[in-house]
């Protein structure tokens, strides 16, 4: 045989092998997606939904079953033609778990979720000494304690961090209060626990939660506004998280406006949660007050109402500006302050209604959990190698949304 024909034949065989391997990988992800997204399914249902032949699905199914991804739910009913009753299955939540952490100004929040996204445990601990080494030690203790109590097949699969600040490629570019002292959180925890570690901006993760746990791909364009110490925004564009150059998209709290003296200032310096609380506390006295009292203060004290009303007007303006820039189908608000003072949210809605705003808005109750659930989703996508695939997560009972 001519040497060039031999080379061509070998090249064609290699191409066929690569094509088969690629098809196998793609089909495996599609089968895994079906297992994840269906409350229960069968081999026949998977083959029918994906348009694959039964032999291909059976081969992939057996591989996934051997790896521990499949849990049998029950035996289904046979068809009208009789035949074997199908096994109804779903993704095995006990395959393993992921851990997520939110480092706040005063507290460390931790969440552990099965690989299906279902909650195992949530914890919130005060940070006694706010330095990165002490916080890392708290995180290690949480992880070690969870590993000791683990009853899943593969234990800890990934670690995620919800960061108040700008994050790019798993690196913290800027944070208003977290000083890392040169420590690389991803590198450190990957070395300590030998699992993937992901970092993402807190508002981006809240947007991820609202997309993956609530709208479930029904809404492909949304913005999620988080009001805490600062004001951040997560953007879902065409079904995917939009981060912008170096992760800088969504920093609406840094947008400029003018204060009462006509000075240019950042929006969040006038209407963030911290600023509003400081203004109210200065007005009513230096003693600490519980946030539960805010709703009463709003109703009883006209000066407190002025503070909230001014903040509502500013937040409505910055929300409207974000709406006309990104064109979302829906807008979500994540803020404990809005939850604590329902009249504040009602006023914000009224201010938005006075503007030519078209996107419906929703309030998240249980917003302290949204970025952690979003972080769990991000970690699970990485663990399953399903980045870019839509996985349907069940909305947790601890979180509710309303107009």
């Amino acid at each position: 045989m001519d040497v060039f024909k031999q080379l061509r034949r070998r090249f064609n065989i290699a191409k066929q092998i690569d094509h088969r391997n690629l098809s196998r990988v793609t089909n495996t992800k599609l089968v895994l997606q079906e297992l994840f997204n269906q409350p229960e399914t069968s081999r026949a249902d998977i083959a029918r939904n994906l348009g694959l032949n039964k032999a291909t699905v059976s081969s992939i199914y057996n591989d996934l079953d051997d790896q521990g991804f499949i849990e049998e739910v029950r035996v289904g009913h046979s068809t009208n033609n009789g035949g074997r009753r199908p096994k109804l299955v779903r993704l095995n939540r006990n395959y393993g778990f992921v851990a997520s952490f939110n480092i706040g100004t005063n507290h460390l929040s931790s969440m552990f979720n099965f690989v299906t996204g279902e909650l195992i445990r949530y914890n919130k601990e005060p940070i006694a000494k706010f330095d990165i080494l002490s916080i890392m030690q708290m995180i290690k203790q949480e992880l070690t304690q969870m590993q000791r109590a683990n009853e899943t097949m593969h234990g800890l699969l990934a670690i995620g961090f919800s960061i108040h600040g700008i994050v790019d490629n798993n690196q913290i570019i800027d944070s208003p209060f977290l000083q890392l002292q040169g420590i690389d959180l991803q590198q450190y925890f990957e070395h300590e626990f030998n699992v993937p570690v992901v970092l993402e901006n807190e508002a981006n993760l809240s947007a991820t939660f609202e997309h993956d746990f609530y709208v479930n791909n029904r809404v492909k364009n949304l913005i999620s506004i988080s009001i805490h110490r600062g004001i951040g925004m997560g953007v879902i564009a065409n079904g995917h998280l939009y981060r912008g150059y170096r992760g800088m998209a969504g920093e609406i709290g840094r947008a400029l406006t003018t204060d009462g003296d006509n000075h240019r200032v950042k929006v969040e310096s006038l209407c963030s949660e911290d600023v509003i609380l400081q203004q109210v506390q200065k007005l009513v006295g230096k003693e600490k007050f519980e946030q539960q009292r805010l709703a009463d203060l709003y109703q009883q004290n006209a000066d407190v109402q002025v503070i909230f009303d001014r903040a509502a007007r500013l937040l409505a303006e910055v929300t409207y500006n974000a709406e006309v820039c990104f064109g979302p189908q829906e807008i979500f608000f994540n803020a404990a302050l809005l939850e604590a003072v329902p009249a504040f949210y009602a006023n914000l809605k009224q201010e938005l209604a006075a503007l030519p705003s078209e996107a419906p808005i929703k309030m998240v109750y249980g917003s302290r959990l949204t970025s952690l659930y979003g972080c769990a989703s991000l970690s699970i996508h990485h663990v399953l190698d399903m980045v870019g695939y839509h996985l349907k997560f069940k909305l947790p009972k601890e979180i509710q949304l309303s107009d």
Side-chain angles (χ1 to χ4, degrees), residues 130-145:
F130 199 91
D131 70 83
I132 190 60
L133 295 178
S134 299
I135 294 169
M136 289 167 65
Q137 187 59 36
M138 290 178 67
I139 293 169
K140 286 180 64 176
Q141 289 174 356
E142 284 285 316
L143 288 166
T144 302
Q145 180 181 350

Side-chain angles (χ1 to χ4, degrees), residues 8 36 40 47 50 84 94 98 114-116 119 131 141 150 156 200 234 242 257 261-262 299 323 327 329 401-402:
R8 192 180 300 114
F36 197 104
E40 56 183 37
L50 297 179
R84 183 181 299 175
N94 285 308
V98 298
F114 291 110
V115 73
T116 55
L119 179 67
D131 70 83
Q141 289 174 356
N150 169 60
L156 180 65
E200 186 53 86
Y242 175 70
T257 187
D261 298 320
N262 209 33
Q299 298 294 337
E323 179 183 350
Q329 295 167 263
L401 293 95
S402 68

Side-chain angles (χ1 to χ4, degrees), residues 135-167:
I135 294 169
M136 289 167 65
Q137 187 59 36
M138 290 178 67
I139 293 169
K140 286 180 64 176
Q141 289 174 356
E142 284 285 316
L143 288 166
T144 302
Q145 180 181 350
M146 190 62 198
Q147 284 183 315
R148 288 172 181 163
N150 169 60
E151 295 182 354
T152 64
M153 292 175 61
H154 299 286
L156 180 65
L157 301 174
I159 302 169
F161 290 94
S162 170
I163 302 297
H164 296 262
I166 299 174
V167 179

Side-chain angles (χ1 to χ4, degrees), residues 261-393:
D261 298 320
N262 209 33
H263 295 143
R264 287 179 178 173
V265 295
K266 295 177 181 178
V267 169
E268 62 191 14
S269 71
L270 300 178
C271 55
S272 68
E273 179 182 282
D274 273 16
V275 169
I276 293 172
L277 292 178
Q278 288 166 11
Q279 291 174 345
V280 172
Q281 190 167 341
K282 183 179 179 180
L283 186 65
V284 301
K286 291 187 177 180
E287 72 279 2
K288 289 186 177 181
F289 60 90
E290 299 294 330
Q291 282 200 15
Q292 300 90 284
R293 286 193 56 207
L294 285 173
D296 293 333
L297 286 170
Y298 182 92
Q299 298 294 337
Q300 299 166 4
N301 190 314
D303 292 328
V304 170
Q305 189 170 349
V306 168
I307 292 172
F308 277 97
D309 291 351
R310 183 169 57 240
R313 186 166 57 254
L314 285 168
L315 286 170
E317 290 174 0
V318 76
T319 300
Y320 173 73
N321 289 338
E323 179 183 350
V324 296
C325 287
F326 291 98
Q329 295 167 263
E330 292 188 4
I331 300 172
F332 296 84
F333 285 99
N334 302 269
L337 197 56
L338 291 174
E339 296 179 59
V341 187
F344 182 29
Y345 178 59
N347 198 358
L348 174 57
K349 288 176 63 178
Q350 186 175 346
E351 291 286 348
L352 275 169
L355 300 171
S357 175
E358 297 184 0
I361 66 172
K362 293 190 181 294
M363 238 279 281
V364 181
Y365 293 89
S367 59
R368 74 188 188 283
L369 302 175
T370 57
S371 71
L372 289 171
Y373 272 108
C375 194
S377 171
L378 186 65
S379 296
I380 290 166
H381 275 84
H382 277 272
V383 165
L384 299 180
D385 194 21
M386 297 286 283
V387 175
Y389 287 76
H390 179 61
L391 301 179
K392 296 180 183 179
F393 292 87

Side-chain angles (χ1 to χ4, degrees), residues 5-17:
K5 289 183 178 179
Q6 289 181 340
L7 290 173
R8 192 180 300 114
R9 182 172 178 272
R10 290 174 184 172
F11 176 71
N12 288 335
I13 291 173
K15 280 180 63 179
Q16 291 174 5
I17 293 172

Side-chain angles (χ1 to χ4, degrees), residues 164-206:
H164 296 262
I166 299 174
V167 179
D168 181 46
N169 196 28
N170 279 333
Q171 298 298 307
I172 301 174
I173 305 300
D174 180 48
S175 177
F177 57 84
L178 185 61
Q179 304 300 319
L180 293 176
Q181 302 174 20
I183 294 172
D184 186 325
L185 288 180
Q186 180 191 26
Q187 186 179 64
Y188 176 81
F189 281 97
E190 281 186 352
H191 179 266
E192 284 290 308
F193 291 91
N194 197 32
V195 296
V197 174
V198 294
L199 285 79
E200 186 53 86
N201 167 267
E202 177 271 336
N204 285 350
L205 291 174
S206 289

Side-chain angles (χ1 to χ4, degrees), residues 32-39 68-71 73 89-98 112-120 152 155 157 212-213 216 373 376-381 383-384 391-396:
L32 197 55
Q33 186 181 40
E34 280 291 303
L35 287 166
F36 197 104
N37 290 348
Q38 303 299 331
F69 279 112
I70 296 176
E71 175 190 8
V73 181
V89 298
R90 63 189 174 196
L91 187 75
N92 179 17
R93 74 174 193 171
N94 285 308
Y95 179 82
F97 69 89
V98 298
F112 298 93
N113 302 76
F114 291 110
V115 73
T116 55
E118 297 167 85
L119 179 67
I120 301 175
T152 64
L157 301 174
D212 292 355
F213 285 81
N216 283 329
Y373 272 108
S377 171
L378 186 65
S379 296
I380 290 166
H381 275 84
V383 165
L384 299 180
L391 301 179
K392 296 180 183 179
F393 292 87
K394 185 178 179 181
L395 183 68

